[in-house]
């Protein structure tokens, strides 16, 4: 009986920890939008498959760094 109580409590703790709320701040949403914009620019500039890295304010092709002018 004691083992069943321990098992049930363990399952309850795991289930409650998995159902926690996830908070997304507005700055993260804006960063995501900026990454999407920079990704499109990177593909247009570098070509499909030639993009090395994308950040919110720059991107790099596999052989050079491009910093768009604002």
């Amino acid at each position: 009986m004691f083992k069943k109580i321990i098992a049930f409590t363990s399952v309850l703790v795991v289930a409650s920890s998995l159902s926690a709320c996830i908070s997304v701040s507005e700055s993260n949403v804006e960063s995501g939008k900026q990454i999407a914009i920079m990704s499109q620019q990177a593909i247009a500039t570098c070509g499909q498959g030639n993009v090395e890295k994308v950040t919110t304010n720059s991107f790099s092709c596999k052989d050079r760094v491009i910093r768009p002018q604002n």
Side-chain angles (χ1 to χ4, degrees), residues 26-39:
E26 196 169 313
S27 65
N28 287 342
V29 173
E30 289 301 316
S31 294
K33 289 178 185 177
Q34 189 62 26
I35 291 279
I37 292 168
M38 292 304 292
S39 296

Side-chain angles (χ1 to χ4, degrees), residues 13-70:
V13 168
V14 169
S16 65
S17 69
L18 293 176
S19 65
C21 294
I22 297 173
S23 173
V24 177
S25 69
E26 196 169 313
S27 65
N28 287 342
V29 173
E30 289 301 316
S31 294
K33 289 178 185 177
Q34 189 62 26
I35 291 279
I37 292 168
M38 292 304 292
S39 296
Q40 291 174 351
Q41 289 180 0
I43 291 169
T45 302
C46 302
Q48 187 75 29
N50 293 322
V51 178
E52 184 174 345
K53 182 174 124 179
V54 177
T55 65
T56 56
N57 56 5
S58 69
F59 59 87
S60 60
C61 300
K62 289 189 177 177
D63 61 349
R64 63 176 193 246
V65 175
I66 304 294
R67 296 200 197 303
Q69 301 297 322
N70 290 339

